[in-house]
C-alpha cells in the first residue's frame, strides 16, 4: 500500500559527500515526521537515528553528524533528502528512511521503513 525507496548510497573517500533520497509512494494522505537511521556494521541490528524532520521543517540531528549532515524534504514530492558532507569511516553503514504516514481512509498514522541503502566511507 505504501512504499519507501531510498537511493544515493555508494562508496566515497573520507571527506567526500553523498546525497541520499527517499521517495514515499502509494495511497498516501499525508506524511508527518520523516527520518534517516543508520545501522553500522559493528552494531548488529541496532539502528541509530541520524536526522529527522517534521512536516513544518523542524529538524533533529545526532551529535555525531551535527554540522556535517543536512536533512530536508519536499512535501509535494513526498521525498526526504540527506546531504552528507565531510564523511568519515564511522559514517559507514546501511541508511534507512522512515516516515510516519497517514494512509488514505485511515485515521491513524503508521510508521513505514525503506529497504536501506549502503554507504561506505573508505579511509
Amino acid at each position: 500500500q505504501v512504499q519507501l525507496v531510498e537511493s544515493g548510497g555508494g562508496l566515497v573517500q573520507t571527506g567526500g559527500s553523498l546525497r541520499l533520497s527517499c521517495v514515499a509512494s502509494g495511497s498516501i494522505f499525508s506524511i508527518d515526521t520523516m527520518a534517516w537511521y543508520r545501522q553500522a556494521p559493528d552494531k548488529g541490528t541496532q539502528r541509530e537515528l541520524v536526522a529527522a524532520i517534521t512536516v513544518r521543517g523542524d529538524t533533529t540531528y545526532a551529535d555525531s553528524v551535527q554540522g556535517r549532515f543536512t536533512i530536508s524534504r519536499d512535501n509535494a514530492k513526498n521525498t526526504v533528502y540527506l546531504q552528507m558532507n565531510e564523511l568519515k569511516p564511522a559514517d559507514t553503514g546501511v541508511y534507512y528512511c522512515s516516515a510516519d504516514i497517514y494512509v488514505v481512509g485511515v485515521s491513524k498514522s503508521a510508521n513505514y521503513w525503506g529497504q536501506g541503502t549502503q554507504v561506505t566511507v573508505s579511509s
Side-chain angles (χ1 to χ4, degrees):
Q1 215 174 7
V2 172
Q3 188 176 19
L4 299 181
V5 179
E6 302 103 332
S7 62
L11 173 64
V12 64
Q13 291 185 333
T14 295
S17 298
L18 284 174
R19 188 190 193 211
L20 306 183
S21 300
C22 172
V23 180
S25 62
S27 301
I28 297 171
F29 178 74
S30 66
I31 303 177
D32 198 349
T33 298
M34 304 184 83
W36 289 96
Y37 287 77
R38 70 184 175 196
Q39 185 173 319
D42 59 344
K43 299 291 186 181
T45 59
Q46 179 183 351
R47 295 182 185 181
E48 168 195 25
L49 175 66
V50 175
I53 184 167
T54 68
V55 66
R56 298 188 312 171
D58 298 322
T59 58
T60 301
Y61 295 95
D63 290 342
S64 59
V65 307
Q66 184 76 45
R68 300 187 297 121
F69 291 10
T70 302
I71 189 170
S72 61
R73 63 190 286 172
D74 184 332
N75 293 328
K77 296 181 179 180
N78 290 337
T79 300
V80 63
Y81 306 97
L82 186 67
Q83 177 66 44
M84 305 186 294
N85 299 328
E86 301 176 35
L87 283 161
K88 307 174 181 179
D91 295 318
T92 294
V94 180
Y95 283 69
Y96 295 90
C97 171
S98 170
D100 295 325
I101 297 176
Y102 288 88
V103 173
V104 173
V106 180
S107 60
K108 188 175 180 180
S109 68
N111 186 241
Y112 293 86
W113 291 81
Q115 83 289 349
T117 185
Q118 177 71 45
V119 171
T120 302
V121 184
S122 63
S123 58

